[in-house]
Amino acid sequence: MKEMITLKRLSEPSDVAILNEAFSHHFDWFRQGDYYDRCLKENEEGTRITLMAYYGDALAGCCHLLRRSKYPYFQEHNIPEINDLNVFPEYRRNHIASQIFDEFESIASKTYSHIGLGVGLYEDYGNAQKMYTKRGYVLDGQGMTYKNIKVTPGEPVMVDDDLVVYLIKEL
């Protein structure tokens, strides 16, 4: 199956159109806007690497490596962040996410000693949580964050995609 997976870097405006169309088709929550245009610009500047994953000839998802995370702990410790992993439902369980992670870990290992990521805390993130720990990612020890700000004990927070814990892996 691995030979059916190819990874392509986001590199041209036609890639942006492909991503917008595919995400609109696969996810009701996705709204076209300038997100992938901004990603293309950051790829050109070298601050982000976006990998588009293909299964055969079909776009199966994408993910990003942020060279400078928005999470303060990662910024302070020069840890790049794997960000916004999305594999379309019909392509899951085909090792696509693993191949993306293999590539990002290989890229990051040339410059960094660690790599990190954030993961949500509710059930929708359960499969991702299991995959990350199987790959050797461990809690960074900083506790939960909400919108990248540490959660204070006793403080009410919304349980949504912005409530996360961050994990790191030594490369």
Side-chain angles (χ1 to χ4, degrees):
M1 283 192 218
K2 195 171 182 178
E3 59 273 5
M4 296 182 70
I5 301 166
T6 55
L7 302 176
K8 177 189 184 304
R9 287 192 187 201
L10 173 64
S11 61
E12 51 196 60
S14 62
D15 294 335
V16 170
I18 291 167
L19 286 165
N20 276 319
E21 173 60 31
F23 272 78
S24 293
H25 174 75
H26 286 91
F27 298 120
D28 290 338
W29 51 260
F30 182 78
R31 299 290 175 260
Q32 287 194 31
D34 67 346
Y35 175 68
Y36 287 113
D37 289 307
R38 286 182 284 128
C39 291
L40 175 60
K41 183 176 188 255
E42 291 175 15
N43 274 262
E44 292 168 346
E45 295 168 348
T47 58
R48 171 189 302 253
I49 297 171
T50 301
L51 292 179
M52 301 167 62
Y54 286 83
Y55 192 76
D57 293 333
L59 181 65
C62 79
C63 190
H64 312 272
L65 180 67
L66 307 178
R67 293 195 186 274
R68 182 153 174 84
S69 173
K70 292 180 181 170
Y71 174 49
Y73 181 82
F74 285 2
Q75 289 176 0
E76 293 163 15
H77 293 87
N78 197 32
I79 299 172
E81 178 186 337
I82 296 175
N83 180 269
D84 203 15
L85 170 65
N86 282 289
V87 176
F88 302 144
E90 65 269 30
Y91 297 105
R92 292 177 184 160
R93 311 221 41 91
N94 286 302
H95 308 284
I96 293 166
S98 291
Q99 192 157 335
I100 291 170
F101 271 54
D102 289 346
E103 183 66 15
F104 280 149
E105 290 169 4
S106 174
I107 291 167
S109 71
K110 294 176 174 93
T111 309
Y112 305 95
S113 62
H114 290 81
I115 192 167
L117 55 84
V119 65
L121 295 174
Y122 61 92
E123 187 177 9
D124 289 1
Y125 289 96
N127 288 333
Q129 293 165 357
K130 288 191 263 185
M131 182 189 106
Y132 302 155
T133 57
K134 284 180 184 175
R135 289 189 64 89
Y137 288 81
V138 297
L139 293 168
D140 70 357
Q142 301 301 300
M144 286 185 288
T145 67
Y146 189 76
K147 297 186 179 182
N148 288 320
I149 298 170
K150 283 185 184 184
V151 173
T152 304
E155 174 184 315
V157 293
M158 175 73 69
V159 178
D160 61 14
D161 293 341
D162 291 317
L163 182 64
V164 302
V165 291
Y166 282 89
L167 308 172
I168 57 173
K169 179 178 180 178
E170 189 171 345
L171 297 172

